[in-house]
Amino acid sequence: MNKIVSKERFSENVTKLVVEAPLIAKARRAGHFVIVRCGEKGERIPLTIADSDPAAGTITLVIQAVGDSTRKICALEPGEFLTDVVGPLGQATRIENYGTVLCCGGGVGVAPLLPIIKAMKAAGNRVVSVLAGRSKDLIILEDEVRASSDEVIIMTDDGSYGNKGLVTVGVEEVIKREKVDKVVTIGPAIMMKFVSLLTKKYDVPTEASLNAIMVDGTGMCGACRVTVGGKTRFVCVEGPEFDAHEIDFDELLMRLKM
């Protein structure tokens, strides 16, 4: 049982929970995720660790309510408990001093992107972050991202905040004006597909996180199969991050619809 320490609502369907998990807080690195369960018969939900406080023994999770299980998790209040929190799982992000790193996140994808932004900055990189959402109220964790970025560009579909346009508009703006050594993208699969197509055109190495397709989280169920570089890979144990230019996004999008 893992106690909810605090709760914050970003929007009607997106909630941030700070959860007691001392061993995970000490061991986790950028890119790691956990599997959580609410109730003895609750389904297993994979969630990327958005932040941690080893001294307090807590981890931060950002959850989007899209079904019964995630709605139950979002309904929990401080003092209540998650039945299980298992992790850290997956492969950690490769953090190096690349030079200039462009980190782009869409919607709740900003939550798993945040620890990567922090780690890239700590490694000595110049970090430019592009945050995208359909409207202003769907831009999350902006202050936290600004604290670890050299520059932040906001893109909204409706123009209600920042610049009007898709995330690719902001990404291309940066690539055209300066040398970008690495791109990291996390968000809806369709967004990552078009970011990948854009960066491939400019020959910029790009990593994409595919955590949305995971179910079991331990490699046993096979639901997270993806084709990367013509080979079948398992996102939960070999990922969640892969070379975006090698991912078969069309196959991924079809499987997500299932």
Side-chain angles (χ1 to χ4, degrees):
M1 301 285 279
N2 296 78
K3 187 178 179 179
I4 308 299
V5 176
S6 66
K7 175 180 182 178
E8 178 183 352
R9 285 199 179 276
F10 289 141
S11 66
E12 183 180 353
N13 294 318
V14 180
T15 301
K16 180 178 86 170
L17 297 179
V18 176
V19 182
E20 285 185 350
L23 295 180
I24 297 174
K26 289 180 181 178
R28 77 99 198 180
R29 290 162 58 197
H32 280 148
F33 68 94
V34 292
I35 294 287
V36 305
R37 198 163 60 102
C38 183
E40 290 298 328
K41 295 184 179 180
E43 66 178 315
R44 298 162 61 87
I45 305 294
L47 297 169
T48 306
I49 303 168
D51 201 359
S52 69
D53 185 339
T58 61
I59 60 173
T60 300
L61 306 174
V62 175
I63 307 100
Q64 183 174 23
V66 293
D68 287 344
S69 295
T70 45
R71 279 194 287 269
K72 287 178 182 177
I73 294 170
C74 289
L76 292 172
E77 297 294 338
E80 296 184 306
F81 294 84
L82 284 166
T83 307
D84 296 307
V85 178
V86 179
L89 301 171
Q91 302 296 318
T93 304
R94 289 181 289 276
I95 303 296
E96 299 176 17
N97 189 338
Y98 297 100
T100 296
V101 179
L102 177 56
C103 297
C104 53
V108 292
V110 175
L113 190 65
L114 178 59
I116 297 173
I117 291 170
K118 289 182 175 181
M120 288 294 187
K121 183 61 180 173
N125 293 284
R126 167 173 161 77
V127 177
V128 180
S129 299
V130 180
L131 309 185
R134 291 192 303 275
S135 58
K136 181 179 180 179
D137 62 334
L138 296 178
I139 300 294
I140 66 171
L141 298 169
E142 181 185 348
D143 291 343
E144 292 85 345
V145 169
R146 287 191 183 278
S148 295
S149 302
D150 293 279
E151 181 184 357
V152 176
I153 297 171
I154 307 291
M155 304 297 302
T156 51
D157 293 0
D158 62 3
S160 57
Y161 188 48
N163 305 311
K164 184 175 183 178
L166 300 176
V167 67
T168 46
V169 175
V171 171
E172 189 166 28
E173 172 191 319
V174 177
I175 292 175
K176 281 184 172 181
R177 77 172 189 219
E178 64 183 283
K179 184 180 185 296
V180 174
D181 301 287
K182 182 84 170 180
V183 172
V184 180
T185 180
I186 308 180
I190 190 67
M191 182 205 89
M192 293 189 290
K193 173 184 175 178
F194 283 101
V195 168
S196 175
L197 289 171
L198 176 65
T199 59
K200 189 172 185 178
K201 182 175 76 172
Y202 289 100
D203 197 28
V204 181
T206 303
E207 296 279 332
S209 178
L210 308 183
N211 51 15
I213 199 173
M214 293 187 292
V215 177
D216 174 77
T218 63
M220 292 190 292
C221 75
C224 68
R225 294 189 310 277
V226 293
T227 300
V228 181
K231 297 180 179 179
T232 298
R233 306 289 292 275
F234 289 79
V235 172
C236 65
V237 290
E238 298 180 81
E241 293 162 21
F242 298 97
D243 183 337
H245 299 158
E246 297 279 311
I247 298 168
D248 186 336
F249 277 105
D250 291 332
E251 178 192 62
L252 173 65
L253 287 162
M254 288 182 65
R255 298 199 61 243
L256 283 170
K257 289 178 182 178
M258 295 170 61

